[in-house]
Amino acid sequence: RMKQIKLENPDFNKMFSAYGTGDELETRYLLTPAMMQRMIDINNEYGKKIHFGFDRGHMFFAFETDGL
């Protein structure tokens, strides 16, 4: 069961929604202040919404496009 987790970085919270299935501490352990800032920077540099996901030691991301 996934629940939304609010993190310490207000800019991150405006740009992304964090959800976790386990202990909230696990999500905070993965989304460190440095990782959140990198995700914000990537999103700002690309200029379109980017989606990130983490599962069993893997990071997944998807870029929105204007179509192919």
Side-chain angles (χ1 to χ4, degrees):
R1 195 111 172 101
M2 302 214 21
K3 67 176 186 171
Q4 188 169 12
I5 299 168
K6 289 290 184 190
L7 298 162
E8 305 80 31
N9 186 324
D11 295 328
F12 182 87
N13 288 330
K14 288 178 194 170
M15 204 171 283
F16 300 101
S17 296
Y19 290 86
T21 57
D23 184 359
E24 190 172 306
L25 184 61
E26 182 179 19
T27 302
R28 293 178 184 281
Y29 202 48
L30 177 66
L31 294 174
T32 63
M35 177 62 103
M36 287 188 283
Q37 189 58 54
R38 286 186 193 109
M39 292 167 71
I40 290 168
D41 292 345
I42 290 169
N43 195 68
N44 288 338
E45 186 170 327
Y46 184 65
K48 296 189 183 201
K49 186 75 172 163
I50 299 175
H51 305 271
F52 294 92
F54 301 89
D55 186 35
R56 290 174 273 207
H58 293 88
M59 179 178 171
F60 301 91
F61 57 94
F63 297 91
E64 289 187 6
T65 65
D66 294 331
L68 299 176

